Amino acid sequence: MKKIGSLLLAAVLTVVPMSQTFAQGSTASLSSEEKAKQLATTVVKDYGASGVQYAIVDHGKVILSGHAGIKNQAAKEQITPDTMFGIGSVSKMYVTSAVMMLVDAGKIDIDQPLTTYIPDFKMADERYKKITPRLLMNHSSGLYGSHYHNSILFDDNDTQNYDNLLKELQTERLKADPGAFSVYSNDSFQLLEVLVERVSGMSYSEFVKTHISEPMNFKSTHTPLDTFDRNQLSKTYFPGIASALPVENANILGTGGIYSTAEELATFGDVLMGNKTDLLSEKSAQAMQKNEYRNGIWVPEERNTTNYGLGWDAVNLAPFSDYGIKALSKGGDTIMYHADLISLPEYDMSAAVVSAGGSSIYNTQLATQLLLQELKDQGKIKKILPDQTFKPAVQVKMPAELKQYSGLYGTLDNTLTLDISKGKIALPDILGGIIPAQTYVYTGKKQFTSKDGSAIVSFDKQKNGKTYIKVNANVSLPGLGQTVMVFYEYQKLSKNKVSTAVQKAWKARDGKKYYAVDEKINSAFYIAPSILTKTLKVDATNGYVNGDRIIDQNKAVNVAQIPVMTGRDTFDLEFVKQNNVEYLKAVKQLYIPEDAIQPLSKQNASKVTIASNGHVKWFKIDKTTAGKSITVDYANNAGFVVYDDKGMVVQSSIINHKKSVVLPQNGLIVFGGEAGDVLKVTWGKK
């Protein structure tokens, strides 16, 4: 679920020239414990975390454990070793291990069709029959990516997202042949959760408890469906909201639903490295560590922080690869929890970092620094290598042959037209702003380089016949070090000719915003409204919208086949008419257009009734109601959220339980609850 965290990451991540990178010498005189504390404090002070917990386990023993920040700001409660955090997509290592345990028991063959074990798994694409458990675990199933619908809820362990997945997949197609390439897929691990339950005859939560937590003597590793003391969980906080958030439940357990501690997560690394053969065989652990990413199309660079194994994000993690050390890594993000696990099989050593706030990228950097320091202290490496440095780009004459790469390109949610005849490429921001919008100049070797020299762009024609824009970027995180990311960002597209009438229909929607109506009001996504909104970017001349190929006046389909990460979470777009309103459908969610949202009633007293379909109701706050106060009375499962004109949360009754609010000008208010609930609105004065 790492994409969720990246949407928040862009707002706080600072990308600086490499000349300003972290100086290793600034902590050279510190002990391992002091350095760990200083780095963790940096994550809290500079990178948006309210609390961070970390641990190193060496040959089964905790040799380093600590924290920075605070568990509960209001009570001034400190983090302890048993304070629990959500670990997001690091949970994928638990469901992967569960599958491999069943392999050890002779109950699953990971290269048999998934339908062997889940006969009711069906899709509207015959290629689904070729999907195997292996292809789910290495992200090459060809599934579109993620169904986020009602998946992360506050104080609510409703499993409707998981319960509906098989039904929803029945009407969907694949974006690529199974096994063609690996690109991050959350739904794949939801299917693995189903697989474990069907084969074992146990609920997934019970399987984790019986086959992992109890044998490992874990007291703080649970799913949202378990019974445990929620006060063990670290509180979470969101910018602009004074109070702590309610408990965040990621109810898609195989994808991202585990809670744990840094010590228990690092100890679980022993299972993943094959050191607990009574739980997971060495053969299965080693199979999980193989270079699965090489089975299909992949970026040609080997030095990277993403190279998939089975479950693992990386089986050759940089910078450990620079030392000749095999490092395994898995990161994870929910809305407010973040985690990373790095394991070194050669040394039977693992580090885990978990946090409330921040990002898994920061946690990976912290875990990396802790392990490198420990390896140095133990004499396993001579020194910690300095960060790479780069020289400013110097433009040289571009060969005429590179002009062939001019043309139309698409990525998820966007298209652009490149003209590189003058030896320059202008690209928008990448990875949500982690790499800023800039111009890259030709510097030789068929490469275009950023002004500071830290990012290189090139073109790569792959064996599937598609041409990709490849990015090789080094990103500096001041105080934490440097990370490298090598990935494909765009694929070359051909112009899609559509009729004048079709162009006209889509042009009329260009720039419009759409708001989800079928997300529960206690969804955590309401504090990150970009998840629940879509803005259409129509390229009618070329026949595309948000990177999708336009089919007719009301439908556009995904064309992105981009390996690694950028091509994940793809979607089709379809318009449907309901009650004379043109709704947008995407990834099984329904969105109302902004021009169909009515102003909130200006009557002295009013009520909002939730319809039988349970859909939330959005209202505009116009100049006639802005500045007025309202009080809302509602049932226990209902509530409301208010946004200002920039889309930031002003008030959420789900978070602070307050019933009154002053309405901001040009803002929005959304009411939700169960079907038939009535929310009574009483108006005050300006």
Side-chain angles (χ1 to χ4, degrees):
M1 296 166 65
K2 297 182 71 169
K3 187 175 183 179
I4 295 173
S6 70
L7 292 169
L8 303 176
L9 167 66
V12 292
L13 179 64
T14 302
V15 181
V16 299
M18 294 301 107
S19 61
Q20 299 179 32
T21 57
F22 170 53
Q24 297 285 355
S26 63
T27 58
S29 61
L30 300 178
S31 67
S32 295
E33 291 80 5
E34 291 171 331
K35 182 175 181 179
K37 181 72 171 181
Q38 178 173 313
L39 291 167
T41 300
T42 296
V43 174
V44 172
K45 289 178 60 179
D46 299 336
Y47 292 99
S50 58
V52 176
Q53 188 189 69
Y54 54 87
I56 294 180
V57 170
D58 187 359
H59 289 83
K61 294 183 179 180
V62 178
I63 62 170
L64 178 68
S65 180
H67 72 273
I70 198 165
K71 175 183 176 182
N72 185 335
Q73 293 177 0
K76 300 191 183 303
E77 187 178 356
Q78 297 297 310
I79 296 170
T80 63
D82 62 355
T83 299
M84 295 165 58
F85 296 75
I87 64 170
S89 283
V90 185
S91 304
K92 291 179 172 65
M93 298 314 303
Y94 290 77
V95 75
T96 302
S97 298
V99 171
M100 299 308 287
M101 289 174 185
L102 293 169
V103 170
D104 289 340
K107 296 181 178 181
I108 290 177
D109 180 340
I110 63 172
D111 293 312
Q112 287 295 309
L114 185 63
T115 53
T116 305
Y117 310 102
I118 312 176
D120 50 333
F121 167 56
K122 293 179 172 61
M123 296 184 70
D125 186 326
E126 286 298 304
R127 293 177 294 175
Y128 83 92
K129 296 175 182 178
K130 298 180 181 179
I131 295 175
T132 65
R134 178 188 298 277
L135 303 186
L136 296 175
M137 291 187 284
N138 69 20
H139 297 282
S140 68
S141 65
L143 293 170
Y144 262 41
S146 304
H147 288 76
Y148 287 125
H149 188 196
N150 290 316
S151 59
I152 303 180
L153 305 174
F154 285 134
D155 284 333
D156 185 352
N157 57 11
D158 184 347
T159 59
Q160 65 166 279
N161 181 288
Y162 167 81
D163 297 338
N164 293 336
L165 181 62
L166 288 178
K167 181 181 178 181
E168 291 181 344
L169 288 174
Q170 288 179 5
T171 59
E172 297 184 10
R173 64 188 183 96
L174 298 175
K175 63 185 171 190
D177 291 340
F181 59 85
S182 292
V183 59
Y184 205 82
S185 170
N186 282 319
D187 287 345
S188 294
F189 290 80
Q190 286 296 89
L191 287 173
L192 291 172
E193 181 184 339
V194 178
L195 174 64
V196 170
E197 292 189 336
R198 295 291 181 88
V199 173
S200 71
M202 305 171 69
S203 73
Y204 180 68
S205 292
E206 188 64 25
F207 190 98
V208 171
K209 177 183 177 182
T210 303
H211 293 281
I212 297 176
S213 293
E214 289 180 346
M216 293 295 290
N217 198 31
F218 289 165
K219 305 297 183 184
S220 303
T221 298
H222 297 288
T223 77
L225 302 185
D226 290 337
T227 299
F228 65 95
D229 183 5
R230 261 60 177 176
N231 289 321
Q232 273 190 264
L233 289 165
S234 177
K235 296 289 187 182
T236 60
Y237 301 87
F238 193 81
I241 299 176
S243 58
L245 306 181
V247 172
E248 179 194 85
N249 293 342
N251 297 314
I252 40 179
L253 310 184
T255 289
I258 300 287
Y259 303 112
S260 193
T261 67
E263 289 188 6
E264 290 191 0
L265 182 53
T267 302
F268 181 57
D270 272 358
V271 176
L272 301 174
M273 291 186 292
N275 298 332
K276 296 290 183 180
T277 54
D278 54 329
L279 299 185
L280 181 69
S281 71
E282 185 177 0
K283 178 181 178 181
S284 287
Q286 289 180 349
M288 292 163 63
Q289 300 169 22
K290 290 183 179 178
N291 300 324
E292 291 283 328
Y293 66 99
R294 292 179 179 170
N295 293 342
I297 295 168
W298 195 257
V299 285
E301 253 65 48
E302 288 299 315
R303 187 180 191 272
N304 205 345
T305 47
T306 304
N307 30 58
Y308 299 124
L310 297 181
W312 293 107
D313 286 343
V315 292
N316 295 294
L317 179 70
F320 295 94
S321 55
D322 300 339
Y323 301 82
I325 297 172
K326 184 177 183 66
L328 315 168
S329 177
K330 184 71 192 83
D333 303 88
T334 61
I335 298 292
M336 291 310 302
Y337 284 124
H338 313 275
D340 191 76
L341 171 67
I342 300 177
S343 295
L344 309 179
E346 180 182 353
Y347 299 110
D348 291 332
M349 188 185 300
S350 295
V353 178
V354 293
S355 67
S359 166
S360 64
I361 291 179
Y362 311 142
N363 295 357
T364 303
Q365 287 301 107
L366 176 52
T368 296
Q369 296 288 349
L370 298 183
L371 283 172
L372 289 175
Q373 185 64 47
E374 187 60 35
L375 291 171
K376 180 176 178 294
D377 290 349
Q378 293 187 17
K380 293 180 170 64
I381 60 174
K382 292 183 179 180
K383 64 177 182 178
I384 298 176
L385 300 174
D387 289 339
Q388 294 192 37
T389 58
F390 303 90
K391 295 180 180 179
V394 177
Q395 185 173 356
V396 300
K397 185 177 180 181
M398 185 189 77
E401 65 189 60
L402 293 184
K403 294 179 182 178
Q404 66 178 300
Y405 294 113
S406 294
L408 180 66
Y409 286 82
T411 191
L412 205 64
D413 214 36
N414 195 25
T415 55
L416 76 144
T417 301
L418 288 183
D419 178 5
I420 58 174
S421 61
K422 297 181 180 180
K424 294 182 179 181
I425 298 176
L427 293 179
D429 61 40
I430 297 171
L431 298 176
I434 294 175
I435 302 171
Q438 57 191 304
T439 297
Y440 303 79
V441 300
Y442 185 71
T443 52
K445 299 181 180 179
K446 299 183 179 181
Q447 297 176 340
F448 298 78
T449 305
S450 63
K451 182 178 180 180
D452 65 6
S454 65
I456 296 173
V457 171
S458 57
F459 297 91
D460 190 15
K461 187 171 184 178
Q462 272 284 2
K463 58 185 178 182
N464 62 356
K466 299 185 184 303
T467 297
Y468 296 100
I469 294 179
K470 184 180 71 177
V471 180
N472 185 331
N474 287 269
V475 178
S476 171
L477 304 173
L480 295 178
Q482 188 184 92
T483 187
V484 59
M485 303 175 184
V486 186
F487 54 93
Y488 292 134
E489 177 66 7
Y490 289 88
Q491 75 178 51
K492 204 169 193 295
L493 302 175
S494 57
K495 185 172 181 178
N496 175 36
K497 293 183 179 179
V498 295
S499 69
T500 302
V502 170
Q503 286 193 42
K504 182 179 179 181
W506 284 98
K507 283 181 179 179
R509 299 163 178 148
D510 187 29
K512 275 191 181 181
K513 282 189 176 180
Y514 295 79
Y515 297 83
V517 296
D518 49 3
E519 189 79 7
K520 294 179 71 171
I521 196 64
N522 61 348
S523 169
F525 291 137
Y526 282 103
I527 67 168
S530 60
I531 296 290
L532 297 183
T533 63
K534 285 194 177 295
T535 301
L536 292 194
K537 306 168 189 174
V538 179
D539 180 3
T541 302
N542 289 309
Y544 291 87
V545 54
N546 292 68
D548 283 0
R549 184 187 295 270
I550 295 172
I551 301 301
D552 56 33
Q553 292 185 3
N554 294 309
K555 189 173 183 180
V557 300
N558 169 69
V559 294
Q561 293 192 0
I562 308 176
V564 192
M565 287 292 275
T566 304
R568 60 172 289 177
D569 294 349
T570 51
F571 51 83
D572 296 340
L573 299 172
E574 183 180 5
F575 285 93
V576 294
K577 275 257 181 118
Q578 295 184 11
N579 299 321
N580 294 319
V581 175
E582 185 182 73
Y583 286 86
L584 172 66
K585 287 182 68 176
V587 200
K588 292 298 189 290
Q589 287 207 266
L590 194 66
Y591 298 79
I592 187 171
E594 59 183 342
D595 54 14
I597 297 175
Q598 300 300 310
L600 189 62
S601 172
K602 296 182 285 293
Q603 297 176 9
N604 186 51
S606 57
K607 63 182 181 180
V608 177
T609 302
I610 304 303
S612 59
N613 58 18
H615 288 174
V616 301
K617 291 192 172 182
W618 292 88
F619 294 92
K620 295 176 181 176
I621 301 168
D622 60 19
K623 62 182 180 180
T624 65
T625 56
K628 285 189 174 181
S629 65
I630 60 169
T631 300
V632 185
D633 289 321
Y634 48 86
N636 288 336
N637 294 318
F640 66 98
V641 184
V642 179
Y643 302 94
D644 65 17
D645 60 347
K646 296 181 176 61
M648 299 300 295
V649 176
V650 172
Q651 160 78 318
S652 168
S653 67
I654 302 300
I655 294 174
N656 57 28
H657 306 294
K658 293 181 180 179
K659 295 188 175 184
S660 298
V661 64
V662 176
L663 299 177
Q665 188 165 349
N666 298 323
L668 289 170
I669 184 168
V670 56
F671 299 91
E674 296 182 354
D677 280 350
V678 177
L679 296 91
K680 297 179 180 178
V681 181
T682 303
W683 289 79
K685 296 180 180 180
K686 282 192 177 182

